[in-house]
Structures are given as C-alpha cells and as structure tokens.
Amino acid sequence: MRSHVTDGDHRLSMWRRVREFAVPPSMIETATARRTVGDWAGACAAARVDADVDLCAARQVHGRELAARLRADLRHLAPDLLRWHLPRVAPIGRLRPGLTVSLARYPSAAGGEVQLVARTAPAWAAAGQRIGLTLWDGTRRGDHLQPPPDRRFRLDLHRHLWHARHTSELPMRSGVDSWLSGLGDSTGQLPRGCAAHRWAAEAALLRCAEGRPDAPVLIRLGGRRRLILATDSDAPRALSGQPSTRLPVLPDAATWALPDLLLLRAGLISAGRLHPLVAAALAPYLAQADESGRPDPPSGWPLVECDGSTHRIGLVDGVLAPLDHDPDELRREELLVALGGTPLPCLRVIDEANRDPVQLNEIRPRLDHGDVAGALAAVEGLLGPDAVLRDGALRDELATVAAGQVTAGLYRAGLTGRGPLKFPPTTTPRERRTAARRRCRTR
C-alpha cells in the first residue's frame, strides 16, 4: 500500500528499505515452517504477531459455524505475509501506527457481525513493531483498544495479501501483466503509482461486499484529493465539496499499485528478494526480472595505516582486536592510554567502532523495524560476541530501543495509557536506565 507522505523516488526508496529490513528472511522461514505444520500460533509468534484469539470463547459466544470458519482462516494465515503488506508511513517505512485493519468478517449466531482484525500500536508504543490479532464485534471498550476497523485500510476484500491459500489471486488482483509491460501507468492528472486500470473491477467487488450495487465509490488519493467513481463504465471525476461518510471507500490496497511491482519496474529489487509467496504467485511474469536490486554484501574491516605500516583488525577470541601488534605492545599502549597518552591508530579505529561504527547504518534499520535479534546478530558479527560496548551512538541506540520495548510491553499489558515513558535530560545510558527503573517503581 502507498505511503501518503512522500512520492516518486523517495517512496520507492522507502519501500526498498522496507523490503530489505521489515520482514527478514529468518522470520519468513520460521513462520512458514510453523504454519505448514498447522501451528498458526507459533507462526504468529515468529512474525511478532500477538494473537489474542480464543477459539473456545468464540464458539461459545458466536456459534460453531463462526468458530469453524475462524479456525480455518487462522490455520492458513501467513502472518509474515500480512506484515509484508500492511500499510506503512514515511520516511523509514514503519507500520502505520494506531490502525485497525479488518482481515475477515463472519456472521455471528448471536446476531451482528464479528471481524478478525490486525492492530498496530500507537506511535509512542510502537517499539518492536508488533502486530495484534484479535476479534472485534463493535461492543468492547477500553483505554488500550484502538479505533474500529478503518474503511480505508481493510484487507477483508484482499485475502491474497495475508491468506496463504489465496495468493494465486495476486497476479489478477494487482494487474501484474499491465504493470510490468508499462500499460498500467497512470496518465493525465493521476499521481504516479495509481492502479487506475483496476479501479472499476475493485469498485465492483466493494459494492458487492457492501450490498450497494449502484452506490458511487469514493477514491482517496492522499492529502485532500478525492475522486468519485459512479459506475463501472464511467471515468472517475473530481469530487467537489466534502465527501459523504456514507459512500463506500475504495481500499488503499486497490487504489495503489503493489509496491513490489513498482520496485521491480524500477530495478530496485530482484525477484529473489520478494516474499516467497509473492514470488511464487508472480513467477510466470518475472522470468526477466532484473537482479540489480540485490544489495551488495557488507564489506569487512578496512586496513589501517599505523606507524608507517598497513595493519589489519579483526575478531580474535570474540572481540575486535588489532592483528598486527603483539600482546606486550598492546598492554603497553593500554597503560599509556590510561595515563592520558594517544592510542595507536589501530586502537583508535577499534574504539570508534565500539562507539559509532560506520556499519551502524546497517544496524539501525533493523532496530527501526523491530528486528532486535537481527540487529544484535549484526553487532556480534561486527564487534564480536564478547565485546563490551562503550558510550557512544551504538550504545545509545540500543538503550533507546530497550526503553521503547519496556513502554511497548506495558502498553500491551494494559499497564499504561498515558503516553511514552519520559526521561530527564540525562547524559549517559546508565542514567537513563536508572531513570526508567525509578519511573516504573513510582507507577
């Protein structure tokens, strides 16, 4: 789905970043393995989805038929694919905060309708980028419950974006043949990235689902721009005045082209970098996909000019160390530094790497998208598993993430609804951790 903050190349750059870091291959592999053996709860856990769905309670309250349909959907839910397709916001492509997305609708034996929904936390509690999965029947209230399902961001009409058994619909629903050939490009006054060639068909599906075969459909193009699609055969026209809240709204998933298609067309991603379910569905159309989107592998540590010679640094016994200095020389240098002397260039590079490594730009995106395990693995691969972090940008990043995880955990547990934890203007990570502990004790 489209981000409504940036356009053009900036938006494509954001989606490329999302595809590289937001759903890591390890998450996809683990979630897929658990899903294929019927462990839907384990698949959700692997994809950082908090499943709050009680099948027994659903059967007792809403009837056996609803519980059976819900169980079938959960068994084929691909939570990693759901994370892949959920709407995001610029500039770094985090999940759109404070959102409730309808995945499926079921008639209840008790009357009314029950929806399976995915929820994202508000921005102040979004550390970890976790997703909540629960049922919504329109009756529950509470400080920690987010708004009702959003009409604009709904996936109950787009099961191919989260249900493993419906991914075969992806080529048809995304109009892949038109987009990869260039025929699906927007023309005239429509923004780049519109799926205008699919609007009439998607509007027909929306009218059928809403039981309003003759209703005009509202199309939102970001900002305050609105279009009206009166019938399947008419061209969309600009809306004058305020739109009626009673009009059906074309979901964003139907309004905008699939980001993967835009990235493929621009050569910013390769077919091998797609989600496996997406790649399998699009395989017949990707025979000549450009492989230039594959990122370059990270390089090793550079050589250091030290005392007129070129020296190496690398991992030794679990820590980053100079490779061309003997232990006695290093002990003398450490003593000299302790007394206020200037360290050797090799030691300066190692110290800088522990404080603010150049590779921090490869670690920070993982933290932004909640992949703490992947970020820590990258740190260990960079500095060694036994490295002791020193005060600096890297340690501050990890401390900030840890504090955010505490806030997010309190939010999920319903223990705070007053916004993020506030820290005094301290100067070191240790003082920030102490402030956080004091704050928790006073709650």
Side-chain angles (χ1 to χ4, degrees):
M1 291 182 207
R2 184 180 189 269
S3 164
H4 299 278
V5 183
T6 59
D7 277 320
D9 294 338
H10 296 291
R11 184 166 63 89
L12 289 179
S13 177
M14 181 200 79
W15 276 109
R16 183 184 184 185
R17 184 186 182 98
V18 168
R19 292 302 182 243
E20 185 174 355
F21 296 108
V23 191
S26 58
M27 173 188 290
I28 296 174
E29 181 180 357
T30 305
T32 301
R34 295 180 180 178
R35 172 175 55 80
T36 53
V37 297
D39 182 10
W40 66 268
C44 287
R48 298 200 302 276
V49 174
D50 300 313
D52 183 21
V53 179
D54 189 332
L55 289 172
C56 293
R59 183 175 63 251
Q60 293 173 1
V61 176
H62 302 291
R64 293 181 178 274
E65 182 179 353
L66 181 145
R69 292 178 58 186
L70 175 61
R71 181 183 292 107
D73 282 341
L74 290 175
R75 286 179 62 87
H76 300 293
L77 166 70
D80 48 317
L81 184 65
L82 172 63
R83 180 178 290 276
W84 185 271
H85 288 300
L86 278 180
R88 296 179 178 273
V89 293
I92 59 177
R94 290 165 68 89
L95 291 172
R96 190 177 187 92
L99 190 65
T100 302
V101 179
S102 177
L103 303 182
R105 300 180 178 219
Y106 314 100
S108 172
E113 183 181 68
V114 177
Q115 299 185 40
L116 176 66
V117 299
R119 283 191 167 119
T120 61
W124 59 266
Q129 292 288 274
R130 300 190 71 86
I131 302 168
L133 187 71
T134 189
L135 295 178
W136 185 85
D137 59 9
T139 60
R140 297 193 295 175
R141 298 291 184 270
D143 292 338
H144 290 79
L145 294 181
Q146 297 182 1
D150 196 301
R151 295 194 303 157
R152 176 181 165 200
F153 300 104
R154 56 185 292 185
L155 297 181
D156 57 301
L157 302 180
H158 299 81
R159 284 178 167 246
H160 56 285
L161 300 182
W162 62 269
H163 196 291
R165 287 197 168 182
H166 287 264
T167 53
S168 59
E169 303 171 13
L170 185 62
M172 184 271 291
R173 296 292 297 274
S174 64
V176 61
D177 51 348
S178 297
W179 266 102
L180 291 183
S181 64
L183 299 177
D185 288 334
S186 300
T187 58
Q189 301 300 317
L190 295 179
R192 178 185 178 187
C194 289
H197 60 298
R198 287 289 308 165
W199 285 354
E202 294 292 336
L205 293 174
L206 175 62
R207 293 187 183 103
C208 181
E210 296 287 326
R212 303 171 63 183
D214 300 321
V217 173
L218 178 67
I219 303 173
R220 301 184 56 167
L221 296 180
R224 297 185 177 182
R225 190 173 181 187
R226 306 289 186 270
L227 300 178
I228 287 290
L229 187 63
T231 65
D232 295 344
S233 59
D234 290 341
R237 56 181 176 81
L239 176 68
S240 58
Q242 290 294 328
S244 171
T245 57
R246 298 180 180 179
L247 290 179
V249 178
L250 192 69
D252 260 35
T255 303
W256 304 99
L258 193 71
D260 297 326
L261 298 182
L262 301 178
L263 292 171
L264 287 167
R265 281 274 311 280
L268 296 178
I269 194 174
S270 67
R273 300 290 296 178
L274 296 176
H275 188 288
L277 290 174
V278 176
L282 301 182
Y285 306 88
L286 302 180
Q288 299 179 356
D290 185 7
E291 292 295 321
S292 62
R294 185 176 298 278
D296 295 329
S299 57
W301 284 103
L303 299 176
V304 180
E305 294 297 326
C306 181
D307 288 346
S309 302
T310 301
H311 289 174
R312 303 161 299 155
I313 59 176
L315 296 180
V316 177
D317 295 331
V319 296
L320 193 62
L323 303 179
D324 298 308
H325 295 275
D326 60 66
D328 291 338
E329 182 183 8
L330 292 177
R331 282 193 292 269
R332 289 195 300 269
E333 287 297 324
E334 291 172 355
L335 178 59
L336 178 63
V337 172
L339 295 174
T342 302
L344 288 170
C346 287
L347 296 180
R348 289 202 301 269
V349 170
I350 292 174
D351 181 71
E352 183 64 21
N354 280 273
R355 297 179 188 277
D356 188 8
V358 175
Q359 292 87 343
L360 184 57
N361 290 332
E362 300 173 9
I363 299 170
R364 186 178 286 117
R366 303 179 190 278
L367 297 174
D368 289 338
H369 292 287
D371 185 16
V372 177
L376 293 179
V379 171
E380 289 187 358
L382 179 67
L383 304 177
D386 297 328
V388 178
L389 297 183
R390 303 163 193 178
D391 288 342
L394 177 57
R395 186 168 179 175
D396 287 348
E397 285 283 343
L398 296 176
T400 300
V401 169
Q405 295 276 18
V406 172
T407 302
L410 292 174
Y411 170 80
R412 291 196 301 273
L415 298 178
T416 178
R418 298 190 294 272
L421 296 176
K422 302 296 184 181
F423 294 99
T426 54
T427 57
T428 67
R430 176 176 294 179
E431 290 172 336
R432 284 193 287 273
R433 289 195 298 272
T434 302
R437 287 195 293 268
R438 290 174 179 171
R439 176 77 178 251
C440 290
R441 285 199 295 267
T442 59
R443 286 183 179 273

